Structure formats: C-alpha cells, structure tokens
Amino acid sequence: MDLKKQTIDELTEDFLLYLRSIKRSEGTIRRYLTAWERLKAYMALHKHKIYTPKIGEAFLISELGTYRYEDLPLSKQNYVSKIEALVDFQNTGKVLLGMRKKTPKEFNGAIGKAMQVFIDFRKRNYCLSPVTINNYEIYLHSFLCFLNDRRIGSANRINHAEYLQFITQLDTSKPAARHVALYILRNFALFLYQNGLVAKDYSGVIPSDNYKQQSRLPSTFTKDEIELFLGAIDRGNPKGKRDYAMFLLALKLGLRASDIANLKFENISWITNEFNFEQKKTAKPITLPILPEVGNALIDYLKYGRPQSFEKHCFLQVVYPYNRIASHDLGNAVQFYLKRAGINLQNRKHGPHALRHSFASHLLQESTPLPVISEALGHTSSNSTMFYLRIDTSALKECSLDVPPVPFSFYEQKGGYHA
C-alpha cells in the first residue's frame, strides 16, 4: 500500500504494529493513542479521510496556535512529536522514537552576526563549558528574536528601553536562570560598545539581581534511606541490574549523571581496577577505583542484563533499538525508585545529583579530609566542595563557640534596661 495515501486509521494501525514489533511497552503505545484521538476527531470534523503532513500541521496549529517548538513546555513538545512521528512513518515505514531534536539556533542579520562573534570571543578567551555556551546561545537568541519582532536590525538601534523591556520578560520564578541571562546580556552590551558597534555603553542599565548562587542546602539521603532506595530495585531483571550498577556509581564514587551516561568500555580498566575518563562538566580527567561492590554490580549487568549491541557506551536502554541512555533517563529512574521505596521527598530534590550529594555527606560524616572529598568529586577547586560543609551539622556544632554571659553593668548603662 502507498504509505502516502493512507487513511488515518490505516496509518495509525500500521504504526501500532510497528511499535509492537520493536518491543515498545503498552504504556508507550497508549500515550501515542491518546495523542492521536484528538487528531482523528479533527479530521472527522473537517471531513478528511487521507492523512497528509499539511493536515497534521493544521491540526497542531488548531491545538496550540502559532508556536515555536523550542518554546513549548515539555508535555507539549511530546505531543507535537507524536503527531509528527506519523509523517516519518508514512514516508519511511519507521521512525526515530522520542522527541525531535531541537533545531540549531540561527544568528541571522547584523545583530545575530555580532552575537555569534561575541560567543566565539567568550569561548576562546574564557574556556567556557558546553553548558555555559548553551546558555549564551539560549538567551542571546531569545534577545535576537525579541529585537526582530520589533524590526530592530542593527546594533546601533538598540537602546536602554529594549534591554529593559526584554528583561521584564524574564521568568522571575527562576532566579538562577534570570541571573545568568542578566550576566550574559550585560557582557554583550559591553562587548558592543568596546568594539565600536554602538556609541553608548548600555551595560550599566542592566540591573543587578543580588542572586546568591548555591543558597539552598544540597538535598541528601540518610544511609537508612539509601538502603531502602537500593532495596526497591528488582535486580532479577535487566533493567534492575542496569539501574543498580548506575546508582552505585553515584552513591559509592560520586559520579555525575552525565558521566554515568557517557561511560564507555574504554574508560574501564579491569587490570588496574580503575575508571579513567574526562568529566563532561569540567573537562577535567579523573581516575577512580573500581570498588568491589561497584565492580560486581557492573559485571552482573554486563553479563546478564545488557542487550547485545555494538554500542560503545556501557549503559543502554532496555527496549529496542537499545540506544545509550541519556542523563534524564537516569533522573527518571532515581525518582521512580525513591517513590517505590516510600521515602519522604518533601522539600528535597530527588534527582541523581542528590545521590552525589549523599555520597559527599557520608564522607563528611566519616571525617574524610576536605581535599580528599574534593578529589573524589572531581571538583576543580576546594571552594566548590565547601558547599557540602553546610550539610554536616554535627561537625558544625563542634565548631560553635560558647556565648559569654552579659555583665550586669551592661543593663545599668545610660539608655539600658531598668527594672
């Protein structure tokens, strides 16, 4: 049958058969069906029988209005992806499951070119991490779109009003993100002035927000809670074997989720019993021991849980086509087992970084020297490790000083308290 001339019922029926052939769960299938129900109702209302990409586009606009995929919340992006997947399947007979990748941000026009030069300058002179570079691209591209909407095409037409109006659109409920945006914007304004692209320095009009980074205590779990958490994992199936090994890397060695997801076979030396890899966040090389408990869990997964694959990364998804896991897969798994274990998560973050925080907390409780903890966590500076001192309340109590009694003469002085 010509896939490009299918009715919506024929297309979705073939799609469902495909999903089952690649061993997708019934839960995943139900989510696709839910997304397609409104599409079918839309086509019936407009008396469409044959599905085409244009019908899919018109349907999404009727549901979401004129939208930019990158600006949609995650739930809506998932919704759009399930509709767009029909077109991929219609043309190829298969589909790359999951959300579509975000299109690269384009910095067009004179201002866009200046922004790209600015980003390249910061990358070259400040050795920015990939995460920081991504932040520069996100906020500067958002500012560029803001200026384009106002038909401002050259840097010398940007004045203080544009900066201040754009700042009012920043989400005040996310102070950390707003702080980063203001910092980037302030440096961009200064860059324009220093390079003669504008006649006036507007960096001074961009307000300071007094945001205090790392103001909240890190979320941690006690040793008893960690035992409950690990005990909630069913290690009798491939998913449980994989998750148990991943979690031990965070709990026993303090690995970040990104480094667990990026771990490759080449990073494991069974001869020296070491992990050797470059940290994704800091680009700093690190060597960590393969502890017996960690090594046994990893071997159990590799021998009895990992699907056969030529993929070089250690940890794979448990369903076909067995792609490497992503950091957010690890986050979803941590939340799942914490809830299954019945652990109270109130006022605590419950992602994989909380496992890393717990690792540091337990080292502090065992009176491990700060430089050793810093090295184990892969911090580039001990100042970063100082953040964890605030969670060791018992050690802080030992540092407390007795408050000397106030002499009675203090109360008798002029202006003081009189009985």
Side-chain angles (χ1 to χ4, degrees):
M1 177 181 292
D2 185 356
L3 292 175
K4 294 186 179 181
K5 293 183 180 180
Q6 288 179 292
T7 67
I8 185 62
D9 289 330
E10 291 171 337
L11 177 57
T12 55
E13 183 178 347
D14 286 349
F15 199 128
L16 292 179
L17 290 174
Y18 170 75
L19 291 176
R20 291 191 172 97
S21 73
I22 60 173
K23 303 177 183 179
R24 284 291 160 172
S25 69
E26 289 303 314
T28 297
I29 291 173
R30 282 195 300 273
R31 287 190 286 273
Y32 274 91
L33 288 171
T34 299
W36 295 336
E37 284 177 0
R38 294 183 67 84
L39 172 62
K40 290 183 178 182
Y42 171 87
M43 291 184 64
L45 178 65
H46 292 82
K47 299 181 179 179
H48 296 307
K49 292 184 178 180
I50 304 299
Y51 181 79
T52 65
K54 289 186 177 180
I55 290 175
E57 292 172 7
F59 165 70
L60 288 172
I61 291 174
S62 72
E63 290 279 297
L64 306 172
T66 303
Y67 68 91
R68 287 181 1 116
Y69 179 83
E70 293 80 3
D71 296 335
L72 293 174
L74 185 61
S75 60
K76 297 297 184 184
Q77 289 184 351
N78 272 299
Y79 186 69
V80 170
S81 297
K82 287 177 173 56
I83 300 301
E84 292 183 339
L86 289 170
V87 177
D88 294 335
F89 183 74
Q90 200 175 29
N91 290 321
T92 66
K94 61 182 180 180
V95 66
L96 180 62
L97 299 174
M99 294 191 303
R100 75 180 184 188
K101 294 183 178 179
K102 295 181 180 179
T103 55
K105 292 176 172 55
E106 296 182 359
F107 290 89
N108 297 320
I111 298 177
K113 183 179 179 180
M115 288 178 172
Q116 191 61 65
V117 172
F118 169 66
I119 294 172
D120 292 340
F121 168 78
R122 301 288 291 189
K123 285 166 59 177
R124 186 171 58 252
N125 290 278
Y126 294 91
C127 300
L128 304 182
S129 70
V131 173
T132 303
I133 294 169
N134 186 55
N135 285 334
Y136 273 72
E137 292 175 347
I138 288 173
Y139 294 116
L140 287 176
H141 188 265
S142 180
F143 186 44
L144 178 62
C145 293
F146 170 85
L147 296 173
N148 287 340
D149 289 342
R150 284 156 180 73
R151 300 183 183 279
I152 297 174
S154 60
N156 56 20
R157 290 187 55 202
I158 308 174
N159 59 36
H160 70 282
E162 273 71 43
Y163 284 111
L164 295 177
Q165 184 62 33
F166 175 73
I167 290 170
T168 62
Q169 298 183 8
L170 297 175
D171 191 346
T172 56
S173 67
K174 299 179 179 179
R178 188 174 186 273
H179 174 76
V180 172
L182 292 175
Y183 172 81
I184 293 171
L185 207 60
R186 189 179 300 112
N187 280 280
F188 176 63
L190 181 61
F191 176 83
L192 292 178
Y193 174 70
Q194 290 177 338
N195 286 271
L197 298 175
V198 295
K200 186 175 180 180
D201 179 11
Y202 287 108
S203 62
V205 307
I206 299 171
S208 299
D209 58 348
N210 296 320
Y211 171 73
K212 303 296 183 183
Q213 191 174 14
Q214 293 187 340
S215 58
R216 294 183 60 182
L217 290 175
S219 297
T220 62
F221 297 98
T222 65
K223 291 183 178 180
D224 289 341
E225 287 175 328
I226 292 300
E227 287 185 13
L228 288 173
F229 169 69
L230 293 175
I233 303 172
D234 180 4
R235 295 164 61 189
N237 61 61
K239 184 177 185 300
K241 294 179 186 295
R242 181 201 67 182
D243 294 346
Y244 185 75
M246 291 194 303
F247 297 155
L248 286 186
L249 287 171
L251 288 166
K252 302 298 182 181
L253 296 174
L255 266 66
R256 298 181 180 90
S258 57
D259 292 328
I260 295 173
N262 286 336
L263 190 68
K264 298 179 180 179
F265 291 112
E266 65 191 51
N267 303 133
I268 306 172
S269 173
W270 296 109
I271 297 176
T272 60
N273 278 333
E274 291 176 335
F275 294 107
N276 297 281
F277 59 90
E278 184 178 275
Q279 299 169 96
K280 183 175 181 181
K281 181 178 180 180
T282 65
K284 177 185 176 183
I286 189 171
T287 298
L288 296 170
I290 302 179
L291 303 177
E293 185 179 3
V294 176
N296 289 335
L298 188 56
I299 291 171
D300 185 42
Y301 167 64
L302 296 178
K303 290 182 66 175
Y304 306 113
R306 189 179 188 273
Q308 292 185 357
S309 171
F310 291 106
E311 171 61 56
K312 296 180 180 179
H313 290 83
C314 294
F315 299 109
L316 307 181
Q317 295 177 346
V318 294
V319 293
Y320 185 85
Y322 309 125
N323 295 322
R324 52 167 293 198
I325 66 160
S327 297
H328 63 79
D329 294 323
L330 188 63
N332 293 336
V334 171
Q335 294 182 39
F336 172 79
Y337 290 113
L338 286 171
K339 291 179 180 178
R340 174 185 275 188
I343 296 172
N344 183 5
L345 302 177
Q346 186 176 8
N347 298 324
R348 284 193 290 186
K349 293 184 178 181
H350 41 274
H353 219 59
L355 304 185
R356 175 174 161 87
H357 289 162
S358 299
F359 165 74
S361 174
H362 299 161
L363 289 180
L364 282 170
Q365 292 170 9
E366 295 168 1
S367 300
T368 306
L370 194 62
V372 175
I373 299 176
S374 180
E375 186 67 25
L377 291 171
H379 285 159
T380 55
S381 168
S382 292
N383 291 333
S384 301
T385 317
M386 292 288 287
F387 176 50
Y388 294 93
L389 284 176
R390 300 183 299 158
I391 61 179
D392 189 8
T393 54
S394 59
L396 288 175
K397 287 179 181 177
E398 294 179 4
C399 298
S400 64
L401 300 175
D402 292 332
V403 179
V406 180
F408 191 75
S409 59
F410 171 81
Y411 300 103
E412 293 182 327
Q413 61 184 319
K414 184 177 181 180
Y417 173 76
H418 296 283

